[in-house]
Amino acid sequence: MPVEIEAGGLRGGKPEIFLQTPANELYPAFSPDGKWIAYRSVEAGNSEIYVRSFPDKGGKWQISNSGGAFAVWARNGRELFYRTMEQQIMVVSYTAKGDSFVPDKPRPWSATKLADTGAVQNFDISPDGKRMLALIPAEAARANNHVTFLLNFGDELRRRSGVGR
């Protein structure tokens, strides 16, 4: 759907079908440059990750080769991550040449298995590409199984620094 800025807000245009196949296709993710979409498809009976150009020009590239879900693009424009059905993060380096997408062979990003969250994404990469957020089982040997929530950070910062007094 085209989106336009209008009077300080957003207005959606007429929706257009991007892809219509008999397969079950889920969890689309745009590449950082907006020229590619990675998604999960169960077209061949297995859940695999595919990439298509945007807008669709008919090319399709299979990225995973032994199951995949939840593709995540690194902002560096050179890597695509996905989760296997065995809860492992894989990474694929790639190059884009015109209307062609050239993926390298997938390789494990880490040997650490993720927590099985079913149909919910359980990892993401930071915008700078230097850190990965992942849900791992609490019983994993190196698991840090506590969470700290910092609320009202600005108020706490002002209180500690004495600004505004």
Side-chain angles (χ1 to χ4, degrees):
M1 172 173 38
V3 178
E4 298 174 5
I5 298 175
E6 184 178 273
L10 300 176
R11 184 177 66 81
K14 182 181 176 194
E16 303 169 17
I17 293 175
F18 168 71
L19 183 62
Q20 187 171 17
T21 72
N24 185 7
E25 288 143 346
L26 305 161
Y27 314 119
F30 278 100
S31 63
D33 64 6
K35 295 180 180 179
W36 307 97
I37 295 180
Y39 62 96
R40 173 184 177 181
S41 180
V42 191
E43 67 186 55
N46 295 330
S47 175
E48 301 289 354
I49 300 295
Y50 293 86
V51 168
R52 287 184 180 264
S53 62
F54 183 81
D56 187 20
K57 297 180 176 125
K60 175 177 72 173
W61 295 268
Q62 184 172 336
I63 305 304
S64 61
N65 53 24
S66 57
F70 304 113
V72 176
W73 298 90
R75 293 209 179 155
N76 65 14
R78 296 184 305 270
E79 295 174 315
L80 177 63
F81 296 86
Y82 66 91
R83 183 195 82 192
T84 67
M85 305 321 280
E86 290 78 31
Q87 307 303 321
Q88 184 173 24
I89 298 174
M90 302 292 284
V91 61
V92 176
S93 298
Y94 68 88
T95 55
K97 298 177 183 176
D99 290 339
S100 292
F101 189 86
V102 183
D104 289 342
K105 184 179 177 184
R107 63 189 188 282
W109 182 79
S110 169
T112 302
K113 302 287 185 182
L114 302 174
D116 188 350
T117 56
V120 177
Q121 186 169 338
N122 52 3
F123 79 100
D124 204 353
I125 189 167
S126 66
D128 64 7
K130 294 180 180 179
R131 291 177 297 278
M132 182 78 68
L133 174 67
L135 298 174
I136 58 175
E139 62 273 2
R142 294 176 291 159
N144 183 0
N145 59 4
H146 71 275
V147 176
T148 302
F149 289 96
L150 180 57
L151 303 174
N152 302 317
F153 176 74
D155 294 343
E156 182 65 11
L157 191 59
R158 281 187 290 280
R159 186 185 69 75
R160 288 182 182 218
S161 67
V163 175
R165 289 184 184 179

